[in-house]
Every structure is written in C-alpha cells, then in structure tokens.
Amino acid sequence: MDVKKSIENSNTYLMNTYKRFPIVLRKGRGIKVWGADGKEYLDFVGGIAVNALGHCYPKVVIALQKQAQRLIHVSNFYHIEPQIKLGKLLVEHSFADKVFFCNSGAEANEAAIKLARKYAKEHIGPERFEIITTHNSFHGRTLGALSATGQEKFQKGFEPLLPGFKHVPFDDVTALEKAITKKTCAVMLEPVQGEAGVKVPAPDYLKKVREICDAHGILLILDEVQTGIGRTGKLFAYEHFGITPDIMTLAKAMGGGAPIGAMLATEKVSEAFKPADHGTTFGGNPLVCAAALATIETILDDGLILDQCRRMGAYLMDKLNSLKKEFSSIILDVRGMGLLIGMEITRDCAPVVKACMDRGLLINCTAGTVLRFMPPLIVEEDDIDRMTEILQEVFERLS
Ligand SMILES: *Cc1c(COP(=O)(O)O)cnc(C)c1O
C-alpha cells in the first residue's frame, strides 16, 4: 500500500481525534525512525517521552518475544510472575510500599484519585473528597483525570465534569494554602509540568507543598507519568526535590513502548483499597510487565543511562541556549530538567515542527509556542549536534 493510500485509509477509518502529520512511520531503531516511503527521521519526540531506551531496544524486544511465547495474558484473579517482579523492583527503588498496575497515565491518575478519596473518607474525615490541582496541569483524558486537568481547552464540550477539583496557580504556595478547606483530601501535581510547556517550579516549591500537606493532614499525589522512569536524570523527579509523595503515578516510559501504567503508594495509604475496590482486566498483564521489567532494569543498571541522561540533558541545554543567543528575537526561554526540555518561542511553533520534519527531524510542539525535546535517554552528542544544525537552519529561514 502506498503512503498516499495509507493516509487516505487512515482518515477514512480512524476517528478524527489526532491532528496527524502526513507521514506514515513503519520502523524504528535507537533514536531513528523510518517512514513507509523510506525517509529517515531523527526522533526527538520519542513517542512523547515513552521511548526512553529508543526504538526496539534489544533487551526489551527479547523480553517481549520470550514472554509472548510463555504467557501473554491471565486474569488478575491469579498471581502473575512478571507483575510480582516488577512490583518488587518499583518498591525497592521508590518511596512506595505497594503498587497497582493499569494501562495508561490517565488510568493511573484515576486510581490515585479513587485511593485518595477512599483513604481520606476513612482517615481524615467523611467530608474530605476535594483534590487541589494546578492551572495548566495535564492529568489525562478520562473524565476524572480530565476534571483534575487545569486546562479548559481539553474540557470544553465534555461538561459536566466530575465535581471535587479545585485549581490553583502552579508554583504558588500561598494560593495553594488558601485553597485548602475542610473538604480537601489531597494535592495533585506534576513535579515539572510537561504538557503546559515544560514548567520547572522553584527549587523549594515541592518541599513547601509537602509541608503544607503535612500541616493539614492531607495527601500529596505526584503525577510522574511524564517525569518518571529516568526522564529528569533521576529515576523519579521527586528525588531532585528532597521529598516523597504519598501517592505517585507512572506510565509513558515505563514499558519501553508497551502500554503500562502504575499507581504507587505508601503502606498506610494503600490499605484503603480492599479487594474489589478497584481493578482492571489488562493491568499488569504478563506481556507488558516483562517489557517494563526489561526497561527499568536497563535504566537502573549501574546508573549508566541515568548518567547519560544528565550529561546529554546538560549538553542539549547548552546547545539550545547557544541558539537562544543567536536567535534572541525568536527564542524567549530554554528550560527543563534532564532530557525534558522546552524552548519557548515568540510565535506558533507548528511551522518550525513542519520545517524540521521536512529536514528529517521530529520535534514536538506543546502549549502552542513551546518546542518540547524528549529524546531517548540513550541520545548521543552526534544526534544532538545534528538536531541543533537542523533547528538552526530552520530558525535562519524564519528570521
Ligand atoms: C501523558 C500524561 C498523562 C496521560 O497519560 P495517558 O497514558 O495518555 O493516559 C497524564 N499525566 C501526565 C503528566 C502526562 O504527561
């Protein structure tokens, strides 16, 4: 099937939920992907922070192949070996004592919202159900997670939303403290706002949020769906801020491309969930858990990949800051942590994304004017150099 026909069929048969670029991707290795027409691209989108180890990382491929031959799916009515191993690994490397597996970031946040409400009703007060989240946050597209999300553009047309969410400005502890009432059960935050345009809070913000939560006896939920699994240079972003949450959600990079999410919590909070309180058919299925085990074990192995992420993050930041000097009339700001970096420009970034794509570079645009860089954590200096060259060429033509 030729590319034109494929795209025609895509538009005919698939619901119109994505504004797709007119290319068909067929194959990937490391940081490169190839279109069905054979064109090669350098992939700085990485499946939106999913492909932490690049495309088709051999250990992940082999883990999937082996598990597919042994056992693909059984019900959560039974104990599942790869799920047990993955749970143990996550608990051993995080603040958490218990893990619940699901299939996506939105589902992980739904689980977090339900757990926080149940815990609060039983342990803080029966009238406690309200969750405070932040403006411009992104927590997913299901109705609960969408109600938690602090962006009207995602909510319009789907009202009425789920009650019980209150939004305050991000990185503003005074506003947060003021918003707490006798109904509040938790605060829910991204440590670094991703979708909002890579917003990094003040270094002491999360520490102050933790103190406020403790002072009021309410829970802190961190949405690490985008920042978790090494993206910021540590396994979890909270490790940078000297705090631990009560509940954390993960997804994106967790399965090396296989769809898996998780909600982690302390022992005390997890106890609010009893059998039949929550569940999912596919959550933590053997196949995706095998992929996640291979992914996380690789990232933890000797800390090499986390080290690479920190070094390449600094290198990329340097390069982008040089571009900022050169194109000061176009580039407003470069910010981020590890390999989650945003470059805010003075104009709509869609034409930049398009011009880069024509030159064989995939980059992402978020919040309208922010170019977001989320390459695999195994990205190398050569890739960053090539990416910068293309971006420079595109900015030259724009200015
Ligand atoms: C992507 C994302 C989600 C939603 O994850 P899905 O797997 O698309 O449901 C939730 N929170 C954050 C911070 C995200 O970046």
Side-chain angles (χ1 to χ4, degrees), residues 8 19 42 85 220 224 259 281 295-296 331 352 380 390:
E8 238 176 70
K19 202 171 156 197
L42 200 54
K85 282 190 195 160
L220 175 58
E224 292 234 24
T281 300
T295 302
I296 299 172
I331 303 171
V352 179
E380 292 178 6
I390 295 173

Side-chain angles (χ1 to χ4, degrees), residues 368-399:
T369 55
V370 181
L371 296 169
R372 181 173 41 168
F373 303 84
M374 308 159 278
L377 311 184
I378 52 155
V379 66
E380 292 178 6
E381 284 185 9
D382 286 351
D383 307 318
I384 293 173
D385 292 345
R386 179 75 195 118
M387 189 282 298
T388 314
E389 271 168 35
I390 295 173
L391 208 53
Q392 184 171 24
E393 203 182 295
V394 169
F395 283 142
E396 261 162 23
R397 301 202 60 188
L398 277 179
S399 58

Side-chain angles (χ1 to χ4, degrees), residues 183-204:
K183 287 187 196 162
T184 311
C185 79
V187 173
M188 181 169 176
L189 293 172
E190 297 156 85
V192 174
Q193 286 190 329
E195 218 60 32
V198 191
K199 300 272 175 67
V200 185
D204 60 351

